[in-house]
Amino acid sequence: MTLEKNVRDFVKLGLVAISGLVLAAGQAQAQNEPELLSVHANWTAYTVMEDGKKVCYMVSRPQKDEGNYSKRGDIFALITHRPSENTNNVFSYMAGYPYKGDSEVTVTIDDEKFALFTYEESAWAPDSRTDKRLSDAIQAGSTMVVKGISSRGTNTTDTFSLKGSSAAHKAISDSCGI
């Protein structure tokens, strides 16, 4: 998969995730709108149809976001399954600001560290093996800390609770047959 396709897919998924978060419970769902599967503490599980193919994802927002910034957009961590593309456990991060060019994001889950590559406002694991390790660590861990640097040189630290991540992962895996 090319970087351009990854970025395009991630941006599309990010927009889907954001729209999914604002949907009211019980609202009728159209074919291309996210469908809420379940809420598990700090993680929420969704499905959505993209080009007639089912996508399942779980999303969370940080409990605490720190940095000396005046304005920042929405922040999301996601794990996505795309069975039609034979991909699962794809970790992605939306920072709410553009990253410094050629910078890395550091994710620490309990005592395990991961390096992500950045593009504009998003960050990803470099390969499927790292995605799987990240997904497993999220499910087994208690806290995730994400550190990045904005295009203006602002250091940020976002802290997530991982409570509910295992149940949310089970929900998206069951829904997508993973």
Side-chain angles (χ1 to χ4, degrees), residues 61-146:
R61 298 180 69 127
Q63 310 310 188
K64 181 166 66 169
D65 55 287
E66 301 172 273
N68 187 19
Y69 49 85
S70 57
K71 183 179 175 187
R72 188 172 179 189
D74 292 324
I75 308 162
F76 298 103
L78 300 101
I79 294 176
T80 306
H81 296 328
R82 292 178 186 276
S84 67
E85 296 178 12
N86 201 28
T87 63
N88 56 52
N89 296 308
V90 175
F91 181 83
S92 51
Y93 196 72
M94 295 177 61
Y97 63 77
Y99 283 112
K100 179 179 178 180
D102 296 321
S103 66
E104 280 191 348
V105 168
T106 303
V107 176
T108 305
I109 300 171
D110 298 336
D111 293 328
E112 194 170 0
K113 290 193 179 214
F114 302 88
L116 307 181
F117 72 92
T118 63
Y119 181 77
E120 295 181 2
E121 294 190 13
S122 304
W124 297 273
D127 54 50
S128 60
R129 184 174 166 265
T130 306
D131 277 329
K132 175 69 171 130
R133 287 181 42 237
L134 258 166
S135 177
D136 290 347
I138 287 169
Q139 293 172 71
S142 60
T143 303
M144 177 172 70
V145 177
V146 181

